[in-house]
Amino acid sequence: MRKGRVTIPTDENFVEGTKEIAELWGADAVRDCDGTHLPKNALEIAEKVYNTYFVVRGDNAWADQHTDELQSVLLTTDYILATEESLAVDLMKGYSCDQLAVNEENPKKYWQVFDRTTGEEIFSWEYVGDGQVRVDGTIPYHEYSVNFFAVNLWDSTQMYNYITNGWNIEKHKVMEPRYEATFAHIKENMRKWCAENKNVNVVRYTTFLYHFFLVFNEKNKEKHVDWFGYLMTASPRAFDAFEKEYGYAIKAEDIISQGTYQSNFINPTKPFLDYMEFTEKYVTKTVRELVDVIHAEGKEAMMFLGDSWIGTEPYGDYFKDMQLDAVVGSVGGGVTVRMLSEIPHVKYREGRFLPYFFPDTFFEGNEENAIAELNKNWVTARRAMMRKPLDRMGFGGYLSLAAKFPKFIERAGQVCDEFRLICDAAGTAKPYSSLTVAVLNAWGKKRSWMCHMVAHELWYQQVYSYQGVYEALSGLGVDVRFISFEDVKAGIDKDIDVIINVGDEGTAFSGGEYWKDEKIVTTLRKWVAEGHGFIGVGDPTAYQKGGRCFVLADVLGVDKEKGFTLSEDKYNIEKKEHFITAEVCGEIDYGEGKKNVYALENTEVLDIVFSDRFKRNVNVGEVMLAANDYAKGRGVYIAGLPYSPQNARLLLRAMYWSCHKEEVMQRVFSSNVFTDCSYYPESGKYAVINNANEVQSTTFYNVNGEKKELTLQAGEIVWLQD
Amino acid sequence: MRKGRVTIPTDENFVEGTKEIAELWGADAVRDCDGTHLPKNALEIAEKVYNTYFVVRGDNAWADQHTDELQSVLLTTDYILATEESLAVDLMKGYSCDQLAVNEENPKKYWQVFDRTTGEEIFSWEYVGDGQVRVDGTIPYHEYSVNFFAVNLWDSTQMYNYITNGWNIEKHKVMEPRYEATFAHIKENMRKWCAENKNVNVVRYTTFLYHFFLVFNEKNKEKHVDWFGYLMTASPRAFDAFEKEYGYAIKAEDIISQGTYQSNFINPTKPFLDYMEFTEKYVTKTVRELVDVIHAEGKEAMMFLGDSWIGTEPYGDYFKDMQLDAVVGSVGGGVTVRMLSEIPHVKYREGRFLPYFFPDTFFEGNEENAIAELNKNWVTARRAMMRKPLDRMGFGGYLSLAAKFPKFIERAGQVCDEFRLICDAAGTAKPYSSLTVAVLNAWGKKRSWMCHMVAHELWYQQVYSYQGVYEALSGLGVDVRFISFEDVKAGIDKDIDVIINVGDEGTAFSGGEYWKDEKIVTTLRKWVAEGHGFIGVGDPTAYQKGGRCFVLADVLGVDKEKGFTLSEDKYNIEKKEHFITAEVCGEIDYGEGKKNVYALENTEVLDIVFSDRFKRNVNVGEVMLAANDYAKGRGVYIAGLPYSPQNARLLLRAMYWSCHKEEVMQRVFSSNVFTDCSYYPESGKYAVINNANEVQSTTFYNVNGEKKELTLQAGEIVWLQD
C-alpha cells in the first residue's frame, strides 16, 4: 500500500472513519466541505489540512456598514423600441432584484446609451432615479439600450446554490477590495483567520476577488452565465483606475460589446485586452498581499479554479506573481485535466473527482451506480493524465456517506493507487511524442484548454462538435500547445508540425477578422507549403472575402457555398479511400457537422453526404471530410468532431498524414481505438490503457515499432518496461 | 368541341396526321422543332404558323469572313498562388477550347489582374501572347486572378445539345451585332428570310442577341451556368459604348465580382445595374429594328424566354419598346407559369408543356408514363393558371410519335379543353383576393417570379427550401407582387398586407447589406407595427449588426445564435398550438431548415427541434416556426418551406394571421389542402381544383363564407356559378 497525493473530505463527527479511509486510500490530506467542519485536531489525521476561505463574500457585518463599498457588475438592458421621440427605460427589467440594484454613482460618467439601429452612442438622456432612464430625441422605430452599473447584492455561487438546493440562509454580500478601508479589512480578516486556524496548513481559496459572470433574471432563474466573463470585475472604481493607469477611459461598451459581453467566443479588442491585463495586474497584486500573510504563517495558498477566479488567468503573464502553492479544480473529462495539470508557476495541481459524496448518489441501493460514476470519471480523465498527470487527486462531500459503501471504498482505493503509479511513471519529463500540434485561435496560450467553453463543463449544441477536438487531443500521444494569430505573425515555432483551426465562422476560435490579415494568410500558406499540416474543423479560416468563405480554401481544399457561386459546377464529389479513414468502422460522427461545404478540384473527398432529395448529379453533395496536398504540406478538412474513440483516432491519423509523418505514427502506439499508449523515457515505462468498459485486444508498438499483442480488461492499465 | 389557344408541332412528313390531331385538340397553330421542317402549305393546316429563328448564331459563312466580329464573353481565371515574385497565368486553363479563345484585343485596356489576397488591382502585368499573362512583382503566397475577354466560338445551347445528344453537326458561331456591318447583315438576313418564308406568320425568336452565361470546361463539360448571367453580353465594343453613354468606364471586375459573376444571388451594385440597363436599352433598340422588319411583312414576333434572352428583362423598363407580340416559354411548375403569364406589353403568352414528344418518352409500352407526365405537368401548372392563366399552350417534338398513343392524344385533348375553359372563366379581370402579399428582395419587380433560380428549372439543394414559397404563392388565392428595398424606401404600397423576405444570409434574396439601411429598417418596423404582416423564411433580414443576426429579430420574434450570445439563457422553448399550424398533419417539412434559431422572450414557438444529444434543458432547441405580435401587426418565422400542399396551406394561414385577416381566410376557400379555389367576379364562376392524383373531399366556401361539401376526382376541376 502506497501513500500520498490524495485528499479526502472529513468532518468533526467522523474522525475515526476518516482515519480508516485515509489509511485505505493512502490519503495525506483532508478538507472541509459545505456543511462540514474540520475536526480540531485535523493535523493529527493528515499531513495537509485544507480549509475553504472566501475573500470577499459573506462578511455581511462589514458590508452592511459599508454599503457604498460593495461590488458592482456591468450590465446592459434589452434593446428597446422607441415609437415616439422619447423613451423610458427600466434598467432592472429582466434582472433579479434579489441579486442586483442600480448603482447610481455618476451615471453620466459611467453609463452609455446606444441607438442600436445605427450603432451610435446617444447623449440626450437622463437618469431620472428609481432605476429609470429617459432618452430624449429618440427616432421612432430605432432601438435603444443602456449600459449601466448595478450593485452586486448577493454572491452568484451562493445564490445559485440557494436556488438550486432550496437553502434558506443569510445571503452573502460581496465586498469591493478596490476601496482602501474594505481591503484593509479583508487583509485583517485574513490575519485573524490564520491566528484562529492553526489546525489548517492549506488555505483553499474559493476563490479570490471577482466571480465569473453569472446573473439571474426577475424570476431568480439564471439569465447569463459566462465562465470567462469579466463583467463582475467592472465598477466605477475600476474604470477610474484604468484611466489613470492606461491613459484613456475605458467605456462600458468596450466590455458590453453589443450585448455579447465580450465572451470567450468574441475576438478580444485592444481595449478589452487592456482591461483584462489591468484586472489581472490588480487581482494578482491584491491576492499576493493575502498570500504573503498566510505564507508568513507557514500555510500554503491553494486556488480553486472556479467561482471568483476572474482576473487570475492561470495561463497569463501575471499569474506567477501571486506565488500560489497550488490550484484545485473539478475534473470532468480530459480537457479539464489538462487545463489544470498544465497550469504553470504552482507547486502542485489537484483534481476533484466524481462522484461527489452527496445523498443524491450515496443512497441505499445505489452503490453500483456510484462505482460506475467513479470509473467513468476516472477512465475519461486518465487518458489526459497519461500525457500530463495532475499532482494530486481528491474527493468532496460527506465521507461518512461513502463509508457505507465498502465496494466503493475498495474501488476508490484502487483508483488512488493507479493514480500514484501514473504519477511515478510519468515523472517530471514529458512523455514520448513524435508530433507537435498547435491549436490556433484568437486567445492562444492565454486560454489553453479553455476553448469553446461557456458555462464550465456544460453541454451546448453549438460547441460539442468542436470540444471533441480538444478532448481527443487531451489524451493522444502528441504534444499540444495553443497559439494565437499574433504568434503566427511573430513566426511559427520550429517544432510545430500541425496547426488546427476549429470553430464557427466569426468566432474567436476560428478567428473571424484575423483572416483579413495578409501576413497571417501568407505565413500559414508558406508554412504549409514547406511541409507542414493544417487541419480545419467546422468553419476554419472563415471570413467572407475575395469571393471565398474559407480564406485558406486553397490549403484546406474545400470552401463553403453560401449561395454566391451556385452557378459554378462542382464535380469533385467522389469519395476516395485514404490513410486518414483507414480505420473507420461505420459512419463517422461529425456532430452538428456543416452544410454546403464543397471540394475544390484536386482535393481528395474522404466523406460526402448527399441529400436524399437530390435529382441531379452535380451541384450537390456536402463534403464532411477532405484531404488536400499543398506543395510539400497538406490540408485536412473535418466538418465537426465530437469526442469518441473513433474520432480521436481519425484526428490522430489526420495529424500524422497532414505533416507527412505517417511512417512514425505506429511507434508508441496501440492499435485498438479504445486504447491509448504512452511512453515515459525517463522511467522507461510504457502504459497501455483501456478506455472501454469491456475487454479489448490490441497490438502494441514500442518506440522502435516492434509489435506485441495485448489483451486488456475493462478499464485496465497495462505497464510494460523498455 | 372548342378551338384555339393551342400550338402543336408539325413536320412536312406528317401533314395529314397534324390535321387530325389539330382537329382533336382544337389547335390553331403549328410550329417546327429541332429536326423537323414545316410543310410548304402550313397556313392551310393552321391559322398560325411559327418558325424558329436564330438572330446571331449559325451564319458561319459570314462569321468566317468576319472573324473579328464574333461575340465575346467576360471570364476570370481561377485564383492562382504565387510562390515567387512573378507568376505565369494560363488564361484558358479550365475552359473549353472548342467554345472559347482568348480575345486579344487591347488587354491592357479591358482586362484586369487582382491580388485576391488583398483585393487590390495589380498593374504590373503583361499579355505575352498565346493565352499567357505574366504578372510581375507578385507577393509570394498571395493569390492572383485575371479578368479577360474570350471570343465565343460556339453557341452555348447548340454546344449543350451537341454534347448531350452526341450530335455531329456544324458548330454555330455567334455574331456580335454591335459591329455595324454585322448588324446590317443580320437585318438583311431577316428581310431575306421573310421573303423566303411567306408560309410563316409568327417568327419564334430563339432568341435574340445574347445567351445566358453558359460555358464549358476543358473536358467540354458544363463549367458555369447562370440563367441570368450577363457575361456573354460583355465585349470590348460593349465596354466602349458603355463609357460613351454613361460617362464612366465599366471595369471587368464590376461584372466578375470576385468570381461570383454578379449572379442573381448577389446584390446588384450601381455599376452592374447601369450595365444591365445599358444592355437592355441596346438589346431593345436592336431587336426592335428586326421586329419592325417582320411587322412590315405582316408577321408576329414571338420571343422564347430562354437561350439568348439576356438583356430583354421582360419585367424591366425597356421590354415594351421591342413591341413584341408574344412570349413563349417552357412550363415546369406554377412559378414558371406566373413568370410567363404576367409578362406585360405583349398580346399573348404561351407555355410549352411536357412531355416533349421525343423518343425518350414516346417508345412502345410507355403510354401510361407519358400520360402521367402530362397530368403531373398540367396539374402542377394549373394551380398558377387559375390565378393568372397563360393565353396559349403548346407542345413540342415529333407529333408523329405522340400520334401512336391514342390514349395520350385523348387525354391531351381534354387538357386543351380544360385550358380553354379556364381562360374563358378567368377573363381579363383579376380573380378574387382578400390579401396582397409582396416578396421583398434586392431585385423586386424586375425579377418577378425569377427568385432563387440558377440554371433554369434545375434543382439545387441550397434553394429548394425557398423556391417552395414562390411555388406555393403561384397558386394560392392571394395577389402577389415583388418589391425591392428601394420600393420600401419610397413607401410601401397601400394595398400590401404582408411582406415576405426569403433566403440565405448575404444573398440578394434576403437582402444582405440593405439591412444596414436604417430607413428600410424603420419603415418596415413602423409598417408592421401599424397592423401589417412580415414573414421571414430562412435567414430573413440577416445582417450581423448591433449584436443581432436578424436585423428585424424584434419583428420576427427570433434571432440566430452564431456563437456570440451562447452565455445568454434561452428559455422560450415550449411549443404552442396556433392558428397557423391548426391544419398540420404529422411533421412539417422545412427542407434544409435552419440551425441555431432561437425565440425571443414573448414569441410564440410553433415548432422547435431538439437535438437527441441534449443533456440540459436550456440553451438548446432550434426554432423552426414562430409567431410574434408586434404592436398592431405580426411577424412569422419559417425555417424553410419546400413546396407541398401542406406547406402551401401553412403559408396561407401565416399570411392571413400575420395581417390580422384570419376571419376572411375562409371566403373563396376549399378546406382540403390538396385543393385550391378561385373566384372570377367577371364571369361569376368559382373553380375548385384537385391537385392530387386521388379523390378528395372538401368543404367549399363561397365569397360570403357559405359552405358546400364537394368530392373531386383525381385532378378534377369543378366549376360552380355564383
Side-chain angles (χ1 to χ4, degrees):
Chain A
M1 198 63 176
R2 305 179 333 153
K3 189 162 187 251
R5 297 190 182 275
V6 173
T7 304
I8 56 174
T10 186
D11 189 0
E12 56 191 358
N13 302 321
F14 196 65
V15 173
E16 288 313 307
T18 305
K19 286 181 183 167
E20 281 170 36
I21 291 173
E23 178 69 22
L24 286 168
W25 293 0
D28 60 345
V30 293
R31 54 167 290 203
D32 66 334
C33 284
D34 267 339
T36 67
H37 294 277
L38 287 173
K40 292 233 165 67
N41 57 347
L43 277 166
E44 293 168 21
I45 309 175
E47 287 164 37
K48 284 175 177 283
V49 176
Y50 305 175
N51 205 343
T52 50
Y53 190 84
F54 298 138
V55 174
V56 292
R57 67 181 250 207
D59 188 346
N60 286 10
W62 179 268
D64 290 340
Q65 285 161 27
H66 303 81
T67 52
D68 287 348
E69 303 196 358
L70 298 181
Q71 287 199 8
S72 282
V73 49
L74 183 58
L75 298 173
T76 191
T77 64
D78 282 341
Y79 291 4
I80 302 156
L81 187 72
T83 52
E84 294 172 15
E85 282 167 18
S86 84
L87 181 68
V89 179
D90 176 3
L91 298 173
M92 285 295 291
K93 185 167 178 288
Y95 287 107
S96 166
C97 294
D98 287 327
Q99 187 192 14
L100 303 160
V102 173
N103 179 344
E104 296 181 324
E105 182 180 347
N106 205 344
K108 289 302 259 186
K109 180 171 181 191
Y110 300 110
W111 302 4
Q112 287 178 295
V113 177
F114 278 86
D115 177 335
R116 294 296 179 183
T117 301
T118 61
E120 283 165 19
E121 187 176 353
I122 300 299
F123 299 94
S124 56
W125 58 272
E126 213 63 54
Y127 179 57
V128 294
D130 202 23
Q132 305 293 315
V133 162
R134 196 190 64 243
V135 187
D136 290 316
T138 52
I139 302 168
Y141 299 99
H142 282 214
E143 289 183 313
Y144 296 83
S145 67
V146 181
N147 301 335
F148 67 103
F149 279 112
V151 181
N152 184 358
L153 302 173
W154 193 357
D155 176 75
S156 298
T157 289
Q158 203 213 18
M159 184 170 180
Y160 177 83
N161 288 334
Y162 182 104
I163 290 162
T164 308
N165 301 320
W167 290 349
N168 190 4
I169 49 177
E170 194 189 24
K171 298 170 187 175
H172 283 180
K173 291 178 181 164
V174 193
M175 301 178 285
E176 173 55 65
R178 286 187 184 270
Y179 292 98
E180 271 178 38
T182 290
F183 182 61
H185 177 70
I186 286 169
K187 212 163 151 181
E188 183 54 30
N189 276 351
M190 186 83 256
R191 276 194 206 98
K192 268 194 219 150
W193 187 88
C194 285
E196 289 162 10
N197 289 273
K198 299 287 184 194
N199 62 332
V200 171
N201 56 10
V202 180
V203 181
R204 188 183 188 274
Y205 287 103
T206 313
T207 320
F208 301 126
L209 309 186
Y210 299 110
H211 204 281
F212 63 83
F213 188 35
L214 173 56
V215 291
F216 295 83
N217 70 16
E218 72 285 4
K219 297 170 191 155
N220 281 350
K221 286 173 75 178
E222 183 187 290
K223 179 181 174 68
H224 210 106
V225 55
D226 180 0
W227 201 62
F228 299 91
Y230 269 62
L231 284 299
M232 291 181 143
T233 71
S235 65
R237 287 297 69 71
F239 275 30
D240 289 350
F242 180 93
E243 185 169 3
K244 213 168 150 192
E245 198 170 329
Y246 282 76
Y248 71 97
I250 188 131
K251 299 291 183 66
E253 184 64 10
D254 291 327
I255 306 178
I256 295 296
S257 186
Q258 305 185 333
T260 64
Y261 294 100
Q262 279 289 338
S263 90
N264 211 15
F265 288 70
I266 307 286
N267 276 346
T269 57
K270 179 70 169 64
F272 186 67
L273 286 172
D274 282 351
Y275 181 78
M276 279 181 77
E277 184 195 53
F278 159 78
T279 306
E280 286 173 72
K281 286 194 283 190
Y282 172 73
V283 167
T284 298
K285 176 182 65 105
T286 307
V287 170
R288 171 66 175 276
E289 292 194 40
L290 304 180
V291 170
D292 284 349
V293 169
I294 67 161
H295 278 173
E297 298 277 337
K299 299 185 197 303
E300 288 186 333
M302 172 181 275
M303 161 188 165
F304 173 61
L305 186 66
D307 294 10
S308 297
W309 75 290
I310 296 299
T312 64
E313 297 297 341
Y315 291 98
D317 293 336
Y318 301 94
F319 181 74
K320 63 178 181 301
D321 299 333
M322 283 193 281
Q323 302 220 323
L324 296 175
D325 300 284
V327 289
V328 59
S330 63
V331 168
V335 168
T336 45
V337 166
R338 295 289 288 265
M339 179 170 76
L340 283 165
S341 69
E342 296 195 358
I343 290 177
H345 312 301
V346 290
K347 294 180 201 142
Y348 57 96
R349 301 134 197 98
E350 178 168 317
R352 199 207 62 218
F353 282 72
L354 296 175
Y356 214 74
F357 305 159
F358 263 6
D360 57 352
T361 304
F362 289 83
F363 58 88
E364 197 170 323
N366 204 46
E367 182 162 17
E368 289 306 318
N369 289 335
I371 294 171
E373 194 179 342
L374 170 68
N375 284 336
K376 191 181 165 206
N377 188 235
W378 173 245
V379 165
T380 310
R382 190 180 60 182
R383 280 185 76 235
M385 278 199 290
M386 305 315 289
R387 303 306 306 168
K388 176 68 179 166
L390 293 162
D391 302 292
R392 299 185 54 84
M393 65 180 295
F395 293 96
Y398 310 134
L399 191 62
S400 56
L401 282 179
K404 291 177 187 158
F405 285 181
K407 281 195 238 159
F408 178 85
I409 296 295
E410 188 189 344
R411 176 59 191 143
Q414 292 164 357
V415 165
C416 294
D417 284 342
E418 195 168 293
F419 173 68
R420 283 183 287 258
L421 262 177
I422 293 168
C423 293
D424 293 349
T428 53
K430 275 208 285 193
Y432 170 89
S433 160
S434 55
L435 188 146
T436 297
V437 58
V439 174
L440 169 64
N441 60 41
W443 294 104
K445 178 168 160 280
K446 188 160 191 170
R447 294 268 164 94
S448 294
W449 300 105
M450 292 174 174
C451 314
H452 281 106
M453 285 191 197
V454 187
H456 187 42
E457 289 188 16
L458 288 186
W459 184 91
Y460 289 76
Q461 187 167 359
Q462 288 82 1
V463 297
Y464 77 93
S465 312
Y466 303 138
Q467 284 173 331
V469 171
Y470 316 117
E471 189 66 26
L473 289 177
S474 76
L476 289 174
V478 299
D479 288 339
V480 183
R481 77 186 60 161
F482 293 80
I483 61 171
S484 71
F485 292 98
E486 298 304 327
D487 294 335
V488 168
K489 287 170 80 166
I492 299 165
D493 284 349
K494 289 279 171 277
D495 59 339
I496 295 174
D497 299 295
V498 180
I499 287 176
I500 303 191
N501 182 238
V502 185
D504 279 334
E505 183 173 359
T507 62
F509 300 114
S510 72
E513 296 211 339
Y514 281 105
W515 294 108
K516 280 204 296 196
D517 188 329
E518 73 85 37
K519 181 90 195 295
I520 290 167
V521 171
T522 54
T523 301
L524 283 166
R525 278 185 181 143
K526 182 163 185 284
W527 181 81
V528 177
E530 285 169 353
H532 300 96
F534 189 86
I535 300 178
V537 183
D539 294 327
T541 80
Y543 186 77
Q544 189 70 36
K545 166 183 177 238
R548 280 194 178 153
C549 177
F550 295 166
V551 172
L552 292 186
D554 58 329
V555 174
L556 294 161
V558 299
D559 202 356
K560 195 170 176 181
E561 174 59 65
K562 297 179 88 174
F564 310 139
T565 55
L566 284 170
S567 45
E568 197 178 310
D569 288 290
K570 287 135 190 155
Y571 291 107
N572 188 357
I573 58 172
E574 202 183 315
K575 194 170 156 175
K576 304 253 173 35
E577 292 192 356
H578 197 274
F579 175 83
I580 293 173
T581 49
E583 293 184 72
V584 169
C585 295
E587 300 275 298
I588 298 170
D589 177 11
Y590 300 100
E592 298 299 298
K594 274 289 158 193
K595 291 198 68 61
N596 300 321
V597 174
Y598 66 94
L600 308 187
E601 201 179 340
N602 296 312
T603 304
E604 290 178 285
V605 174
L606 310 193
D607 201 3
I608 182 165
V609 172
F610 293 94
S611 163
D612 53 12
R613 309 189 192 227
F614 91 100
K615 297 172 190 165
R616 186 181 186 230
N617 213 14
V618 288
N619 284 313
V620 292
E622 302 181 289
V623 172
M624 295 287 135
L625 185 62
N628 186 44
D629 273 291
Y630 191 81
K632 291 185 200 157
R634 287 164 168 173
V636 176
Y637 175 76
I638 311 174
L641 200 84
Y643 180 71
S644 71
Q646 171 156 300
N647 277 353
R649 179 60 53 88
L650 187 84
L651 182 61
L652 186 80
R653 298 187 75 96
M655 289 189 287
Y656 277 95
W657 181 82
S658 68
C659 63
H660 284 278
K661 284 193 168 181
E662 302 96 314
E663 79 290 349
V664 297
M665 188 182 78
Q666 285 183 336
R667 305 206 172 177
V668 185
F669 182 78
S670 173
S671 65
N672 185 313
V673 300
F674 292 99
T675 66
D676 285 298
C677 180
S678 284
Y679 172 53
Y680 308 98
E682 229 180 26
S683 62
K685 285 197 167 78
Y686 292 89
V688 183
I689 56 172
N690 179 2
N691 304 319
N693 215 4
E694 297 86 29
V695 174
Q696 299 290 335
S697 297
T698 190
T699 308
F700 158 76
Y701 296 78
N702 74 7
V703 74
N704 300 316
E706 293 152 5
K707 299 199 261 189
K708 185 176 178 179
E709 299 303 316
L710 295 177
T711 299
L712 290 92
Q713 299 306 305
E716 195 187 3
I717 178 164
V718 168
W719 295 95
L720 298 125
Q721 193 69 35
D722 229 354
Chain B
M1 198 65 177
R2 303 175 339 149
K3 187 161 188 255
R5 297 189 181 277
V6 173
T7 304
I8 57 174
T10 187
D11 189 359
E12 56 190 357
N13 301 320
F14 195 64
V15 172
E16 289 312 308
T18 304
K19 285 181 184 167
E20 279 169 37
I21 291 173
E23 177 70 20
L24 285 169
W25 293 0
D28 60 345
V30 293
R31 54 167 289 204
D32 65 334
C33 285
D34 266 338
T36 67
H37 293 278
L38 287 173
K40 292 232 164 70
N41 58 347
L43 277 166
E44 291 168 21
I45 308 176
E47 289 164 36
K48 284 174 178 284
V49 176
Y50 305 176
N51 205 345
T52 50
Y53 190 84
F54 298 139
V55 175
V56 292
R57 68 181 250 206
D59 188 348
N60 286 10
W62 178 268
D64 290 341
Q65 285 161 27
H66 303 81
T67 52
D68 288 348
E69 302 197 356
L70 298 180
Q71 287 199 8
S72 282
V73 49
L74 184 59
L75 297 172
T76 190
T77 63
D78 281 341
Y79 290 6
I80 301 156
L81 187 73
T83 52
E84 294 171 13
E85 281 167 17
S86 81
L87 182 67
V89 179
D90 176 2
L91 298 174
M92 287 294 292
K93 184 167 178 290
Y95 288 106
S96 166
C97 295
D98 287 328
Q99 187 192 14
L100 303 159
V102 173
N103 178 343
E104 296 181 325
E105 182 180 348
N106 204 346
K108 289 302 258 187
K109 180 173 182 191
Y110 300 110
W111 303 4
Q112 288 178 293
V113 177
F114 279 86
D115 178 335
R116 294 296 180 183
T117 301
T118 61
E120 282 166 19
E121 188 174 353
I122 301 297
F123 299 93
S124 57
W125 58 272
E126 214 63 54
Y127 179 57
V128 293
D130 203 22
Q132 305 293 315
V133 162
R134 196 190 65 243
V135 188
D136 289 318
T138 53
I139 302 168
Y141 299 99
H142 282 214
E143 290 183 314
Y144 297 83
S145 67
V146 181
N147 300 336
F148 67 101
F149 279 113
V151 181
N152 184 356
L153 301 173
W154 193 358
D155 176 75
S156 297
T157 289
Q158 204 213 18
M159 185 170 179
Y160 177 83
N161 288 332
Y162 181 104
I163 289 162
T164 308
N165 301 320
W167 291 349
N168 190 5
I169 49 178
E170 193 189 25
K171 298 169 186 174
H172 283 181
K173 291 179 180 163
V174 193
M175 301 179 284
E176 172 55 66
R178 286 186 184 271
Y179 292 98
E180 270 177 39
T182 290
F183 182 60
H185 177 71
I186 285 168
K187 212 164 153 183
E188 183 54 29
N189 276 351
M190 186 84 256
R191 277 195 205 100
K192 267 196 220 151
W193 186 89
C194 285
E196 287 163 12
N197 287 275
K198 299 289 185 196
N199 61 333
V200 171
N201 56 10
V202 179
V203 181
R204 188 181 188 275
Y205 285 104
T206 312
T207 319
F208 301 125
L209 310 186
Y210 299 110
H211 204 282
F212 62 82
F213 188 35
L214 174 56
V215 290
F216 296 82
N217 70 16
E218 72 285 4
K219 298 171 190 156
N220 280 351
K221 286 172 76 179
E222 184 186 290
K223 179 181 174 68
H224 210 107
V225 55
D226 179 359
W227 200 61
F228 299 92
Y230 269 62
L231 283 299
M232 291 181 143
T233 71
S235 65
R237 286 298 69 69
F239 275 30
D240 290 350
F242 180 93
E243 186 169 2
K244 213 169 149 191
E245 198 170 328
Y246 283 75
Y248 72 95
I250 188 132
K251 298 293 182 65
E253 185 65 9
D254 291 327
I255 307 178
I256 295 296
S257 184
Q258 305 184 333
T260 64
Y261 294 100
Q262 280 287 338
S263 90
N264 211 15
F265 287 69
I266 307 286
N267 276 345
T269 58
K270 179 70 170 63
F272 186 66
L273 285 172
D274 282 352
Y275 181 77
M276 280 182 76
E277 183 195 55
F278 159 79
T279 306
E280 287 174 72
K281 287 194 280 190
Y282 172 72
V283 167
T284 298
K285 177 181 64 102
T286 307
V287 170
R288 171 66 176 275
E289 292 194 40
L290 304 178
V291 171
D292 284 348
V293 169
I294 66 162
H295 277 173
E297 297 277 336
K299 298 184 196 303
E300 289 185 330
M302 173 181 274
M303 161 188 166
F304 173 62
L305 186 67
D307 293 10
S308 296
W309 76 290
I310 297 299
T312 64
E313 298 295 341
Y315 292 97
D317 293 336
Y318 302 93
F319 182 74
K320 62 177 182 301
D321 299 332
M322 284 192 281
Q323 302 219 323
L324 296 175
D325 300 284
V327 289
V328 60
S330 64
V331 168
V335 168
T336 44
V337 165
R338 295 289 288 265
M339 180 170 76
L340 283 166
S341 69
E342 296 195 358
I343 290 177
H345 311 303
V346 291
K347 293 180 202 142
Y348 59 96
R349 300 134 197 98
E350 178 169 316
R352 200 208 61 220
F353 282 73
L354 295 175
Y356 214 73
F357 306 160
F358 264 6
D360 57 351
T361 304
F362 289 84
F363 58 88
E364 197 170 324
N366 204 45
E367 182 162 15
E368 289 306 319
N369 289 335
I371 294 170
E373 194 179 343
L374 171 67
N375 283 337
K376 191 179 166 209
N377 188 234
W378 173 244
V379 165
T380 311
R382 189 180 60 181
R383 280 186 77 235
M385 277 199 291
M386 305 315 288
R387 304 305 306 167
K388 176 68 179 166
L390 293 162
D391 302 292
R392 299 185 56 85
M393 65 179 294
F395 292 97
Y398 308 134
L399 191 62
S400 55
L401 282 178
K404 291 177 187 159
F405 285 180
K407 281 195 233 157
F408 177 85
I409 296 295
E410 188 190 343
R411 176 60 191 142
Q414 292 165 356
V415 165
C416 294
D417 284 342
E418 196 167 293
F419 173 68
R420 283 184 286 257
L421 261 177
I422 294 167
C423 293
D424 293 348
T428 52
K430 275 207 286 193
Y432 170 88
S433 160
S434 54
L435 188 146
T436 297
V437 58
V439 174
L440 169 63
N441 61 41
W443 294 106
K445 178 168 160 279
K446 189 159 189 168
R447 292 268 164 95
S448 295
W449 301 104
M450 292 173 174
C451 313
H452 281 104
M453 285 191 198
V454 186
H456 187 44
E457 289 187 14
L458 287 185
W459 184 90
Y460 288 77
Q461 186 167 0
Q462 288 82 2
V463 298
Y464 77 92
S465 312
Y466 304 138
Q467 284 173 330
V469 172
Y470 317 117
E471 189 66 25
L473 289 178
S474 76
L476 288 175
V478 298
D479 287 340
V480 183
R481 76 187 62 163
F482 292 80
I483 61 171
S484 71
F485 292 97
E486 298 304 328
D487 295 334
V488 167
K489 287 170 79 167
I492 299 165
D493 285 348
K494 290 278 171 280
D495 59 339
I496 294 174
D497 298 296
V498 180
I499 287 177
I500 303 190
N501 182 238
V502 185
D504 278 334
E505 185 173 357
T507 61
F509 300 113
S510 72
E513 296 212 337
Y514 281 106
W515 294 108
K516 280 203 296 195
D517 188 329
E518 73 84 37
K519 181 88 196 290
I520 291 167
V521 171
T522 53
T523 302
L524 283 166
R525 277 185 181 143
K526 181 163 186 280
W527 180 82
V528 176
E530 286 169 352
H532 300 97
F534 189 86
I535 300 178
V537 183
D539 293 328
T541 79
Y543 185 79
Q544 189 70 37
K545 166 182 176 239
R548 279 194 179 153
C549 177
F550 296 166
V551 173
L552 293 186
D554 57 328
V555 174
L556 293 161
V558 299
D559 202 356
K560 196 169 173 180
E561 175 58 64
K562 298 179 88 174
F564 310 140
T565 54
L566 284 171
S567 45
E568 197 178 309
D569 289 290
K570 287 135 190 155
Y571 291 107
N572 188 356
I573 58 173
E574 201 183 315
K575 193 170 156 174
K576 304 255 175 33
E577 292 192 355
H578 198 275
F579 176 83
I580 292 173
T581 49
E583 294 183 71
V584 168
C585 295
E587 301 275 299
I588 298 170
D589 177 9
Y590 300 100
E592 298 298 298
K594 274 292 157 191
K595 291 198 69 61
N596 301 321
V597 174
Y598 65 94
L600 308 187
E601 201 180 340
N602 296 312
T603 304
E604 290 177 286
V605 173
L606 310 193
D607 202 3
I608 181 165
V609 172
F610 294 94
S611 163
D612 54 12
R613 309 190 192 226
F614 91 99
K615 297 173 189 165
R616 186 183 186 228
N617 212 15
V618 287
N619 284 314
V620 293
E622 301 180 290
V623 172
M624 294 288 135
L625 184 62
N628 186 44
D629 273 291
Y630 192 80
K632 292 186 200 155
R634 286 165 168 173
V636 176
Y637 175 76
I638 311 174
L641 201 83
Y643 180 72
S644 71
Q646 172 156 301
N647 277 352
R649 178 60 55 87
L650 188 84
L651 182 60
L652 186 79
R653 298 187 75 98
M655 289 189 286
Y656 277 95
W657 182 81
S658 69
C659 64
H660 284 278
K661 283 193 168 180
E662 301 97 313
E663 79 288 349
V664 297
M665 188 183 78
Q666 286 183 336
R667 305 208 170 174
V668 186
F669 182 78
S670 173
S671 65
N672 185 312
V673 301
F674 292 100
T675 67
D676 285 299
C677 180
S678 285
Y679 172 53
Y680 308 98
E682 231 181 25
S683 63
K685 285 198 168 76
Y686 292 90
V688 184
I689 56 172
N690 179 3
N691 304 319
N693 215 3
E694 297 86 30
V695 174
Q696 299 291 334
S697 296
T698 191
T699 307
F700 157 78
Y701 296 78
N702 73 9
V703 73
N704 301 316
E706 293 152 3
K707 300 199 261 191
K708 184 176 177 180
E709 298 303 315
L710 294 178
T711 301
L712 290 92
Q713 298 305 307
E716 195 187 4
I717 178 165
V718 166
W719 295 95
L720 298 125
Q721 194 66 37
D722 228 354

